[in-house]
Amino acid sequence: MKIDPGKPDDLSAQIAGAIRDAIVAGTLIVDERLPSEAELAEQFDVSRSTVREALKRLAAQSLIRTQRGATGGAFVNRLSFEQACSQQITTSTLLLSMNAVSFGTACEARYALERACAPLSAARRTADHLATMRGEIHRQSQPELSDEAFCASDVAFHRALVDGAGNPVLSYQLAGAVEAMQPLMNMITFTARDRARIIDLHRGVADALEARDGAATLAALTALETETQALAHSVFAARAKKRP
Amino acid sequence: MKIDPGKPDDLSAQIAGAIRDAIVAGTLIVDERLPSEAELAEQFDVSRSTVREALKRLAAQSLIRTQRGATGGAFVNRLSFEQACSQQITTSTLLLSMNAVSFGTACEARYALERACAPLSAARRTADHLATMRGEIHRQSQPELSDEAFCASDVAFHRALVDGAGNPVLSYQLAGAVEAMQPLMNMITFTARDRARIIDLHRGVADALEARDGAATLAALTALETETQALAHSVFAARAKKRP
DNA sequence: CAATTTTCATATGTCTGACAATTAATGTTT
DNA sequence: AAACATTAATTGTCAGACATATGAAAATTG
């Protein structure tokens, strides 16, 4: 585990890279303790500050955790699905907002991915997943709900659908696609009629899943995508007319 | 943008969080320059070291970039698809290796997601995508290829399929699922007969895409998944027998 | 002897101050 | 006007110090 003492600055990035490589390669295993900051400083022949900056970089990616005290130090962190999900959600959200991804593109990706879950979810969804979905549908039908809360409930509904597939890898990969849509959805103002249509389509999805009918689930999701795209299109068109 | 001066240490994490929130909320926009380290230290009432550790955390997530010199400083970074992809790949890879995800689970997720791309890719793939896939198939048929190189080529083939959908969001979301399979695939030793079967199935996928036939692409992918799962199953079963 | 308290060594968290290196803007000279 | 030197601002790095947390060993106590 060495670094190039040559030209480029940013020693902390090099050190972080070296340690990261060791973790990825399996040289450092989960829960193993890294040398103390002082020892690392000596090994890499840099100051403690530089080592600390390197460790902070790794901590930001949840690759290590640190503990104070006599038996403390930096430990290789077991990356949990939960941590990975939340990281992916913030990354996805930023990616969409910073690159001016169109609603249509994001929506297409989201529904394409959800359709990938449909057959699995129809086969494996538990009563719990179905209950969550029904509960969200019920919440969505309360007229006093704010648009933002309506979108949040929509996200919860879709997450239940994805989780129903019973494949944690799939749930992880889709978390970003599902959640990152929320800010985009929040740009839409829903009329009561809009909400009623969406709720109807949600009910269709839930019914198909209850019947364990994969094909019907697919069809229901496609109908939901069509409706969502049309709704967004009309809202954005109206807004463009108002403020040209 | 304030921090709680109360109990918890890890001021650098709090500061990083505050700045991250400002970026996500849009208070800080792309390419905007943050205050200098000295100014931030004063604003947050901490030392410059602490500010630096916070900035390194953000840099590790590609949220900022830093530049030295008179007009230098920390700038809000436009998160590119490329950066986001490479981050997601390392996260996905680590997630799978650290959590002992079974080959079957990962493989199921990967093919479910790729099937989501099939109809779009059949409709939109360019000649370039097809050429890449044919090229990889050709490479795979060279018998002197190492198992590792064969897997790498397999990944390249699948990435071309995904990219063919012409949806950058989709490509980003699937990058992790496709690439993170490589270490798992590398655990398999392929016989010449195994390779031939896989190449045949790859050819089937490419043919279906060439014909712009979404349904056929789906079927070809499903056949490929079945073959892959069966192959992995037999390899692992044989290994378990040898070393019980 | 067992339980509790104290002490202590070790480690991270933070601060201060300094210097090196880089870079754009500014000033100076030819 | 162009080439060169100076300067100011800013990050990168270092050294040393102190604060704080924490487990383990040592001392104390019932």
Side-chain angles (χ1 to χ4, degrees), chain A:
Chain A
M1 205 156 71
K2 284 165 190 169
I3 59 173
D4 175 21
K7 312 290 172 189
D9 330 73
D10 232 338
L11 293 177
S12 72
Q14 288 181 54
I15 293 171
I19 298 177
R20 176 169 36 243
D21 288 347
I23 294 176
V24 172
T27 312
L28 294 168
I29 59 177
V30 166
D31 290 335
E32 184 172 339
R33 183 180 173 282
L34 273 67
S36 73
E37 294 175 353
E39 286 171 313
L40 286 172
E42 200 179 3
Q43 281 183 30
F44 288 112
D45 195 31
V46 296
S47 74
R48 204 186 136 209
S49 330
T50 304
V51 167
R52 279 184 63 77
E53 288 175 9
L55 294 180
K56 294 312 167 199
R57 295 179 114 109
L58 299 174
Q61 299 175 284
S62 304
L63 288 182
I64 61 168
R65 61 179 186 279
T66 54
Q67 221 175 359
R68 297 229 289 208
T71 60
F75 298 83
V76 178
N77 204 23
R78 157 161 276 123
L79 190 60
S80 70
F81 277 95
E82 204 174 343
Q83 284 172 323
C85 275
S86 80
Q87 274 186 235
Q88 221 224 319
I89 288 169
T90 57
T91 303
S92 297
T93 306
L94 272 169
L95 188 64
L96 294 199
S97 74
M98 281 184 171
N99 290 277
V101 173
S102 76
F103 186 93
T105 303
C107 195
E108 173 181 283
R110 173 185 174 168
Y111 278 98
L113 295 173
E114 287 194 28
R115 277 193 293 267
C117 302
L120 296 171
S121 198
R124 301 189 197 148
R125 60 95 191 142
T126 67
D128 270 2
H129 294 126
L130 205 57
T132 301
M133 298 173 78
R134 297 284 187 202
E136 296 299 339
I137 290 175
H138 181 257
R139 173 176 304 163
Q140 290 158 18
S141 63
Q142 294 175 339
E144 70 273 19
L145 207 66
S146 71
D147 274 358
E148 204 165 321
F150 182 80
C151 289
S153 172
D154 180 77
V155 167
F157 175 88
H158 284 275
R159 286 209 68 156
L161 162 71
V162 171
D163 290 341
N167 185 319
V169 179
L170 211 47
S171 291
Y172 155 68
Q173 298 287 358
L174 263 76
V178 172
E179 298 266 353
M181 278 295 293
Q182 195 165 351
L184 295 178
M185 295 279 286
N186 275 331
M187 295 170 60
I188 298 178
T189 49
F190 296 94
T191 67
R193 187 180 302 265
D194 293 335
R195 290 197 187 183
R197 272 199 298 264
I198 289 174
I199 291 168
D200 252 10
L201 290 165
H202 280 176
R203 219 167 259 133
V205 174
D207 289 347
L209 282 177
E210 184 159 15
R212 300 205 178 279
D213 185 338
T217 308
L218 270 176
L221 279 175
T222 301
L224 187 52
E225 179 186 3
T226 305
E227 169 69 23
T228 306
Q229 293 273 23
L231 176 58
H233 190 267
S234 74
V235 167
F236 292 141
R239 206 164 293 171
K241 208 170 182 179
K242 214 178 252 176
R243 304 191 175 201

Side-chain angles (χ1 to χ4, degrees), chain B residues 28-96:
Chain B
L28 293 168
I29 60 176
V30 167
D31 290 335
E32 185 171 338
R33 182 181 174 282
L34 273 68
S36 73
E37 293 175 356
E39 286 172 312
L40 286 172
E42 200 179 4
Q43 281 183 30
F44 287 113
D45 197 31
V46 296
S47 73
R48 205 186 134 207
S49 335
T50 304
V51 167
R52 280 184 63 78
E53 288 176 9
L55 294 181
K56 295 311 168 199
R57 295 179 114 108
L58 298 174
Q61 300 174 284
S62 304
L63 289 181
I64 61 169
R65 61 180 185 279
T66 54
Q67 221 173 1
R68 299 229 283 205
T71 60
F75 298 83
V76 178
N77 204 22
R78 156 162 277 123
L79 189 60
S80 69
F81 278 94
E82 203 174 343
Q83 285 172 322
C85 276
S86 80
Q87 274 186 234
Q88 221 224 318
I89 289 168
T90 57
T91 303
S92 297
T93 305
L94 272 169
L95 187 65
L96 295 199

Side-chain angles (χ1 to χ4, degrees), chain B residues 111-153:
Chain B
Y111 277 98
L113 295 172
E114 287 195 28
R115 276 192 294 266
C117 302
L120 297 171
S121 198
R124 300 188 197 147
R125 58 96 191 141
T126 66
D128 270 1
H129 295 125
L130 205 57
T132 301
M133 298 173 77
R134 296 287 186 201
E136 296 300 338
I137 290 175
H138 180 258
R139 173 175 306 164
Q140 289 158 19
S141 63
Q142 294 175 337
E144 70 273 20
L145 208 66
S146 72
D147 274 0
E148 204 165 319
F150 183 79
C151 289
S153 172

